[in-house]
Amino acid sequence: MENQKKRIGIIFGGRSGEHEVSLLSAASVIRVLNTEKYEPVYIGITKEGAWKRYRGDAESVENGTWLATAESINPGDLKQYLDFALPIVHGPYCEDGKLQGFLETMDIPYGGCGVLASAVAMDKQVARQVFLHAGLPMCKHVFLTKAEWQDERETVLARVEQELGYPNFVKPANLGSSVGISKAKNREALVEALTLALSFDSRVIVEEFIDCRELETGILGNDYPAAAEVGEILSSSEFYDYEAKYTDGASRVCIPAEITAEDREEIRMMAVKACKAIGGEGYCRVDFFKDRKTGKLYLNEINTIPGFTKYSMFPLLWEAAGVNYPQIVERIIELGYERYYAKNYREAML
């Protein structure tokens, strides 16, 4: 029994607006998982929240046809299907700590950040407050709620115009993959942007516009996280929106980014500091802005389950640092087990 393969449950799909992105990411992970060492188990979550066991191939996961042959399962029985969970899900209900909390309750070890880090990183408002407290540079921003927008529309518009001016960026507080993000160049566009963002979430963040370069690095590690190479996004559109990330195929990446050695080390240092500030473990991707005029670096956000698609930066950044895609996945599994055993040891000593 000691040599029996560990059953690695790749969890994909989910109820969020990033369901399709999760399918693309999961298919990529399925293709590189070491099946000589691990037994893959595919667990899909539908857009309605139903849990399914799928036994087919990566192509059907990628194109969304997997559901036709999947069998329903009770999530409460998840432990009988797998030994370790590898959540490859993006957005609310899965990346925000809810799925991690469920796995903790079920006593199932899993890859990636834990409950606290996942919840904090997903919430742009809370994350910014944590980062600012940690002394990390953030661009100017304003937080708004749906209630404020409905009851004090003119006050909200005036506040944004006074504090940030135009253009500005409007984002849902709890969503990723650039879903629901708009650039507002005037009041009319701001109204449209806020209406769109609030259709995805009850809270939004409006940020000042900075003419900037978009830089990213990846993190791997638990107690001693390490940063990967730094890369730059060269977006095919005015800003790096959903289409530019996943559908048009025209955006480019530059790895390593053409920046100074000092900037590279500062980004990697800040990435580690940001990860520690939220209690991050396992892996994540950390995004930055570099002001083209002043050269100043700003922390943008942390993504605790970054994309693993063929367009995704996280695996590319680590490959540039000498860790190939299959090794990345194996390292994430190792780190998940390391945290699980360390936690259980601590609890056993109490």
Side-chain angles (χ1 to χ4, degrees), residues 219-247:
I219 293 287
L220 277 173
N222 287 336
D223 294 330
Y224 302 99
E229 183 55 87
V230 177
E232 180 174 8
I233 298 291
L234 303 172
S235 179
S236 60
S237 61
E238 189 173 5
F239 66 97
Y240 200 40
D241 59 7
Y242 184 94
E243 287 71 24
K245 281 186 178 181
Y246 301 111
T247 62

Side-chain angles (χ1 to χ4, degrees), residues 43-71:
I43 305 293
I45 304 174
T46 70
K47 293 181 178 180
E48 294 74 33
W51 289 61
K52 305 281 186 177
R53 169 82 182 272
Y54 175 64
R55 302 174 188 270
D57 54 29
E59 285 71 25
S60 295
V61 172
E62 188 171 62
N63 62 33
T65 60
W66 66 277
L67 193 54
T69 57
E71 59 189 75

Side-chain angles (χ1 to χ4, degrees), residues 117-180:
S118 300
V120 170
M122 176 58 66
D123 191 300
K124 294 180 174 64
Q125 178 177 353
V126 175
R128 277 158 176 72
Q129 292 170 338
V130 171
F131 294 146
L132 288 171
H133 183 74
L136 291 158
M138 308 289 297
C139 63
K140 290 191 295 184
H141 51 269
V142 170
F143 297 117
L144 303 170
T145 67
K146 181 174 287 187
E148 289 173 328
W149 179 238
Q150 292 173 338
D151 300 337
E152 307 169 29
R153 181 166 299 203
E154 288 302 315
T155 301
V156 164
L157 293 172
R159 179 186 173 198
V160 171
E161 290 170 339
Q162 180 178 0
E163 296 188 24
L164 304 178
Y166 294 108
N168 53 59
F169 284 98
V170 182
K171 308 176 181 180
N174 283 278
L175 212 59
S177 292
S178 297
V179 174

Side-chain angles (χ1 to χ4, degrees), residues 112-114 117-118 221-223 225 274-284 304 339:
C113 288
S118 300
N222 287 336
D223 294 330
C275 180
K276 289 183 175 181
I278 66 168
E281 296 170 298
Y283 73 107
C284 60
T304 56
R339 176 184 59 193

